[in-house]
């Protein structure tokens, strides 16, 4: 156990040195931009791009590293000293900084005292318990009323998507507590309404299915109304979110499906109406790469942009029935994308789709911004003879496109999809796009 403690202390010391070095890089970048008016205000952004590329970190993560390192080194030396001495882990140190910066620095003496008390608490408990105790301490010392702080915090609300394994993802929302609790209660109430002796799903699964059904369909219960003589109308099935089912065309209320699954197939899939999946509410454009043989019934996995492999059944459903998904077919033997290339000044839609499917994300080292939300950049500028072609276009998010346009980062594309990025400090990084879905090992018997 003593050895484990020694390793932990050594890790904390290294984290403290990293904070100092990152701050030093920021200082050097600030010094450089001081002589270049174009860079004023870009110091932290450029530093994050350098650090992220060097450490293989996304820009957001690198930005947090730069921000926390700067705060530790410049404004919270006591916390940095505790980290360097091994009294705190990096998570504890960052938590101390976040709590300390949440109180206005109107009285340096009070701020230093608050930091000291935070370090004392953090050094003897877990990060989660520390935050609970720190929140209570913060409420005692904060000079601003909670109502005023809440009005400011509401402006930071947002929804975030984080891909996970096995075709799954985490959907998170940062909301006012009353709204978050209300949404959860509403979903929970509807989910409990479906419970019964014949319902195989757990309450947790029911909550997930209700939430999915509501947010990916037109109606408040998660379904489009269906006419007895035709397809779904696209009008909400009911205005009442009671979890008990949708109003049918004859005005009678009945369970959403015969098996009482609430319009889902019991495995998290969407309800089938007239042969089409209920993806009516999904408006975002997402690419689905499907091997041709999979579309014909094969078992080669497809690819969902930004998430990776998906099972063949899901690939076929999305490719055949989801209007907000763009289908990209691949050759059954080579795995190459079928059909998209052009060399005109104005980028045609099929070329846009082909480049975005190839790149999948922003091509700046470490950036995970999905290509569908990125701009297409001429690697060699059009004004310098660059062509609007598959081998001279690459996806760059607005931030990195701007850094390229301003002359800080430079890119070369020696072959289609291979990007060489050169940082402001002269570091070179090579990135390649992920290969298409692997073809079947054995060719079909025809």
């Amino acid at each position: 156990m003593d050895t484990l403690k020694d390793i932990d202390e050594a890790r904390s010391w290294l984290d403290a040195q990293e904070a100092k070095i990152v701050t030093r890089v920021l200082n050097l970048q600030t010094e450089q931009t001081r002589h270049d008016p174009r860079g004023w205000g870009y110091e932290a952004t450029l530093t994050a791009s350098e650090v992220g590329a060097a450490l293989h970190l996304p820009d957001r993560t690198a930005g947090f590293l730069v921000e926390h390192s700067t705060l530790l080194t410049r404004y919270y030396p006591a916390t940095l000293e505790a980290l360097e001495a091994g009294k705190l882990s990096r998570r504890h140190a960052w938590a101390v900084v976040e709590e300390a910066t949440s109180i206005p620095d109107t009285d340096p003496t009070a701020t230093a005292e608050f930091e000291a008390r935070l370090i004392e608490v953090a050094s003897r408990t877990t990060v989660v318990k520390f935050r609970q105790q720190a929140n209570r301490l913060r409420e005692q010392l904060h000079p601003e009323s909670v109502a005023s702080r809440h009005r400011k915090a509401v402006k930071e609300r947002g929804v975030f998507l984080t891909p996970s394994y096995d075709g799954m993802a985490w959907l998170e929302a940062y909301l006012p507590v009353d709204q978050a609790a209300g949404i959860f209660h509403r979903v929970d109430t509807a989910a409990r309404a479906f419970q019964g002796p014949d319902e195989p799903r757990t309450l947790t699964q029911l909550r997930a299915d209700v939430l999915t059904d509501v947010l990916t369909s037109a109606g408040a219960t998660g379904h489009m109304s269906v006419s007895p003589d035709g397809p779904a109308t696209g009008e909400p099935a009911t205005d009442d979110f009671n979890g008990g089912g949708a109003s049918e065309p004859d005005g009678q209320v009945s369970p959403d499906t015969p098996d009482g699954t609430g319009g889902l197939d019991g495995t998290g899939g969407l309800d089938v109406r007239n042969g089409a999946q209920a993806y009516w509410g999904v408006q975002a454009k997402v690419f689905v790469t499907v091997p041709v043989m999979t579309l014909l019934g094969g078992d080669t996995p497809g690819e969902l942009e930004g998430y990776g492999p998906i099972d063949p059944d899901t690939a076929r459903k999305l490719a055949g029935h989801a209007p907000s998904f763009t289908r990209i077919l691949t050759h059954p033997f080579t795995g190459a994308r079928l059909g998209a290339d052009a060399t005109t000044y104005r980028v045609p839609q099929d070329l846009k789709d082909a480049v975005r499917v190839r790149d999948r994300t922003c091509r700046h080292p470490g950036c995970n911004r999905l290509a569908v939300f990125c701009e297409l950049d001429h690697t060699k500028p059009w004004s310098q003879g660059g062509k609007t072609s598959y081998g001279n276009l690459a996806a760059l998010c607005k931030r990195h496109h701007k850094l390229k346009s301003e002359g800080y980062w430079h890119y070369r594309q020696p072959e289609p999809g291979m990007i060489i990025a050169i940082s402001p400090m002269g570091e070179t990084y090579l990135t390649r796009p992920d290969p298409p879905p692997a073809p079947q090992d054995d060719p079909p018997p025809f």
Side-chain angles (χ1 to χ4, degrees), residues 111-129:
T111 301
E113 181 182 353
F114 182 44
E115 180 188 6
R117 295 176 66 179
L118 289 174
I119 294 173
E120 179 185 358
V121 174
S123 63
R124 51 184 170 81
T125 188
T126 64
V127 173
V128 174
K129 291 185 177 180

Side-chain angles (χ1 to χ4, degrees), residues 19 68-77 79-80 83 93-94 97:
H68 285 82
S69 298
T70 305
L71 289 170
L72 270 173
T73 306
R74 293 179 179 175
Y75 304 105
Y76 296 98
T79 304
L80 179 63
L83 176 64
W94 283 19
V97 169

Side-chain angles (χ1 to χ4, degrees), residues 142-384:
H142 205 293
E144 192 176 3
S145 70
V146 66
S148 176
R149 283 181 276 137
H150 176 69
R151 286 193 295 270
K152 297 177 181 178
V154 166
K155 297 179 181 179
E156 302 299 323
R157 62 192 182 278
V159 177
F160 312 95
L161 181 66
T162 306
S164 186
Y165 299 111
D166 304 323
M168 303 295 284
W170 292 98
L171 180 66
E172 301 172 279
Y174 180 62
L175 300 169
V177 65
D178 57 329
Q179 295 179 9
I183 291 171
F184 183 83
H185 176 72
R186 203 170 184 184
V187 169
D188 180 69
T189 301
R192 290 178 186 275
F194 289 117
Q195 285 186 308
D198 298 325
E199 173 54 65
R201 290 172 292 174
T202 66
L203 179 59
T204 299
Q205 291 171 337
L206 284 167
R207 289 189 190 119
D209 292 348
V210 167
L211 180 67
T212 300
D213 207 15
V214 169
L215 294 182
T216 58
S217 302
T221 60
H223 293 307
M224 298 175 288
S225 60
V226 181
S227 168
D229 302 320
T233 64
E235 295 299 323
T238 177
D239 292 331
D240 180 31
F241 183 51
N242 54 23
S247 299
E248 297 298 321
D250 60 3
Q252 300 297 316
V253 176
S254 62
D256 289 334
T257 57
D259 61 358
T261 58
L264 295 123
D265 60 10
T267 61
L270 292 174
D271 178 40
V272 178
R273 299 294 177 94
N274 296 324
Q277 297 293 322
Y279 287 99
W280 188 90
V282 182
Q283 298 298 323
K285 183 176 183 180
V286 179
F287 294 110
V288 180
T289 302
V290 187
V292 169
M293 298 312 299
T294 297
L295 201 62
L296 298 178
D299 58 2
T300 301
E303 289 266 345
L304 184 62
E305 180 192 34
Y307 304 96
I310 54 176
D311 64 275
D313 286 340
T314 299
R316 282 189 287 270
K317 290 177 183 178
L318 294 178
H321 298 298
S324 11
F325 291 79
T326 297
R327 181 179 64 192
I328 305 295
L329 299 181
T330 61
H331 192 279
F333 305 128
T334 67
R337 276 98 185 184
L338 299 180
D341 201 0
T343 54
T344 59
Y345 175 77
R346 188 178 184 87
V347 185
Q349 188 60 47
D350 61 343
L351 181 55
K352 291 180 182 178
D353 291 347
V355 172
R356 285 179 170 136
V357 169
R358 179 198 71 195
D359 290 349
R360 304 194 185 196
T361 64
C362 169
R363 295 304 306 280
H364 182 86
C367 185
N368 293 322
R369 182 72 170 172
L370 291 179
V372 72
F373 300 123
C374 292
E375 300 170 348
L376 293 186
D377 170 67
H378 289 74
T379 306
K380 182 178 181 181
W382 176 266
S383 60
Q384 299 177 18

